[in-house]
Amino acid sequence: MSSAVPFLIYIGIFVGSYLIVNRIIRRSARTDFTSLKTVTFGDESAVVSDRVASVISVVSIFVLWGMFTGSTLLPSFLHAPGPFQGIATFDYTAATEDGQSDTATVTVLVHPIDEQPDPPQVEPGEGWARNDTATIGMWRSGLIRVDQNDELGRDAGARVTEVNGQPIAPGGSVETPFGRVGMSPKGTLNFEPSKGWQMEPIWLPAPEAVWQKFVEIAKDGFRGTTLLEHLGYSLMRVVVGFLFGALVGIPLGYAMGLSNWFRGWFDPIVEFMRPVPPLALIPLVIIWAGIGELGKIILLFLAALWIMAIAARSGVSGVSISKVHAAYSLGASKGQIMRHVIVPNSLPEIFTGARVAMGVCWGTVVAAELVAAEKGAGMMIMVASKFQNTDIVIMGIILIGIIGFGIDMLMRWAERVLVPWKGKG
Amino acid sequence: MSGLSIENISMRFDLPNGTSVQALKDVSLHLQEGELMSVLGPSGCGKTTLLNILAGFLAPTEGQIVMNGHTVTGPDAERGMVFQQGALFEWMSVRDNVSFGPRMKGQSASQYQQDVDHLLDVVGLQEFKEKAIYELSGGMQQRVALARCLANDPDVILMDEPLGALDALTREKMQSLVLKLWKETGKTIILITHSVEEALLLGERLIVMAPRPGRIHKEYRLPFADLGVGQDLREVKKHPEFAIRREEILGMIWDMEEEIMGRTEAAS
Ligand SMILES: Nc1ncnc2c1ncn2[C@@H]1O[C@H](COP(=O)(O)OP(=O)(O)O)[C@@H](O)[C@H]1O
Ligand SMILES: [Mg+2]
């Protein structure tokens, strides 16, 4: 149930910020050209990304992350209720078969899970039921043999009948202000301190913990390799694999676009290989080439090859016949037409293909490193997950995302600079 | 024999479904050097096919093209083309487009610089020479296409509806420019158009083609091109003969189109 809370809060922020920004802050009308349009619904050009919405969107993700991890970056009143920590107490009442009953207090120290404190000291108290003491880690639960120190224990036929004055039987439980007290089928009490709504760090660490891990790994490396080297290895594989793929794929695509024989020969191969996800090739590549660099580069070469071949082929096919005719009439030879008409005309398509191929290669290399690698971004998060280092896993995912985004930006920039005529023919 | 001869050209396209289209049947024509001829006709009467054969992009099923004594077998720099649109190289600047022909011949910049600059002046694009093609308006792009063709110094210029995509005002200016270039350079020009007025204005000779099979229906010799060289084209249009010819040819083409429609209606 409580896992729905973050979603509800998120929807609340979405709706609330929309109402606040648009109904209250922006009540004064906009004055750009779009504001004069009477019809905007369905007019694609009237839909622009609202910067304020983007900022609130990103901030709210971090706020939610912080709220449900008890982040120190947020003031504590914003935190979701956290797990109980400190001294918890509850009373139990034991009764013997002949009707004698006595009550004693259990004192439990609920501590952070990475600490091993001693149990708190308590007085034994009056009566035959004696006060008990125990330690339990946060988010954990533990059995407490409360009758162990009692004068009339289980062996004397005494059984626990009430907790905090409420009756309890084997299999039942009683809620206390500090958590739930249950009773096992054999009659032993089991205390589960309340968990609150925050996530345990092993599932989701706080943002600052991820940042700290990043700083730490950037300084000390991970498994004997620096962070830059891990990321550099992944990038290097992508670049080398892509370059080989482009080096073979582009000429292949040109040949397919210019010659019937090449088109006929390679069409079945290319059309078959195109829909095969590169990830499906990982097992075969591992069998053939092992898990070293060669296997990875072969895999990325194959991932890029078909995309580049198809891009080059459609770049050639896309040249308008009147351009070619014009060039012939201006006295150009076949070689000159290739160089001055067909190649430049195909560059926009090739750049689009290269952008797709780089994206696919980046995804493929991470997946391949998840399967087997000694270095690399994917290997880093896979190994970390085996040791339940969730902070490293999340840090790795964020870095992989940033690099993937960076590759795409770089390709777009190169496209703008190198083929400014794209889409303007 | 100098000039351009179209000798008994027939063109049949065999379609994949086994039928065939007779796009041209027994077309013959001779053009003197320096003649300006416009070609009119309803859509589908084979105008583009004829031009493609003249350019050397298509081999006719029968007949031949003879130019200055030799038979045409393929495209050549002696026959330049101006297309309706989209045939400029948008990855090159205006200047590189215009100098394309000379550069392909291996001329150095110093050899073609002067010609190219002069042509850019003539078509009024001197200050746009560093611009990219996609930064120009449609009319400017067609002026680049004209200049590019002229820079190559062809003997014959073939134009397939070169002004068809322009707005009326730009079109009128371009018509004057074509006449001016024709007079200044003395090139042989064949110009296909859809507009009867344009055909009258831009043709010393005008041929009207008829469809199915494509053939020459009627030929005229007209004074308007010569008149238009020196004066405003709007004045030329006021010439009494202009209106008569226009009505006559329009009627002719309407009749043809009606016949086509009648035939397709009967077929369906
Ligand atoms: N490559 C081709 N294949 C088959 N038929 C064609 C081809 N090119 C032209 N045609 C046919 O030839 C006829 C003449 O076409 P075209 O020369 O383009 O006419 P126009 O330019 O006068 O409109 C049309 O019926 C057209 O369908
Ligand atoms: Mg045509």
Side-chain angles (χ1 to χ4, degrees), chain A residues 197-250:
Chain A
W197 286 349
Q198 290 184 12
M199 302 280 282
E200 197 178 336
I202 205 156
W203 288 349
L204 181 66
E208 68 268 20
V210 173
W211 173 254
Q212 255 165 27
K213 206 68 186 179
F214 170 70
V215 172
E216 191 186 310
I217 289 186
K219 216 167 66 208
D220 306 335
F222 179 77
R223 306 229 125 199
T225 308
T226 64
L227 181 63
L228 269 183
E229 220 175 316
H230 278 298
L231 299 176
Y233 260 88
S234 300
L235 264 177
M236 180 273 294
R237 289 165 183 151
V238 166
V239 170
V240 173
F242 168 79
L243 282 182
F244 278 115
L247 226 57
V248 177
I250 293 174

Side-chain angles (χ1 to χ4, degrees), chain A residues 319-333 336-337 340-342 344-346 420-422 424-425, chain B residues 52 55 57 75-81 83 85-92 100-101 103-105 134 148-149 152:
Chain A
V319 62
S320 84
I321 186 61
S322 54
K323 285 193 181 85
V324 175
H325 278 172
Y328 272 116
S329 293
L330 290 166
S333 65
Q336 287 172 325
I337 284 176
H340 296 289
V341 181
I342 292 175
N345 187 78
S346 67
W421 64 88
K422 184 177 180 190
K424 292 172 180 158
Chain B
N52 280 335
F57 302 139
D76 190 283
E78 67 184 9
R79 279 161 284 124
M81 277 287 259
F83 296 86
Q85 62 184 149
L88 294 174
F89 309 127
E90 62 261 23
W91 44 90
M92 295 177 193
F100 186 81
R103 285 190 291 129
M104 293 306 105
K105 278 184 211 146
Y134 49 82
R148 180 177 72 174
C149 185
N152 212 30

Side-chain angles (χ1 to χ4, degrees), chain A residues 53-105:
Chain A
S54 304
V55 170
I56 297 177
S57 164
V58 173
V59 169
S60 60
I61 284 174
F62 278 90
V63 166
L64 274 176
W65 184 4
M67 276 172 76
F68 286 89
T69 52
S71 166
T72 55
L73 300 174
L74 285 184
S76 54
F77 70 86
L78 276 177
H79 289 166
F84 177 77
Q85 179 180 5
I87 302 286
T89 58
F90 61 90
D91 296 338
Y92 72 93
T93 306
T96 58
E97 276 158 359
D98 50 3
Q100 298 182 54
S101 71
D102 192 14
T103 299
T105 302

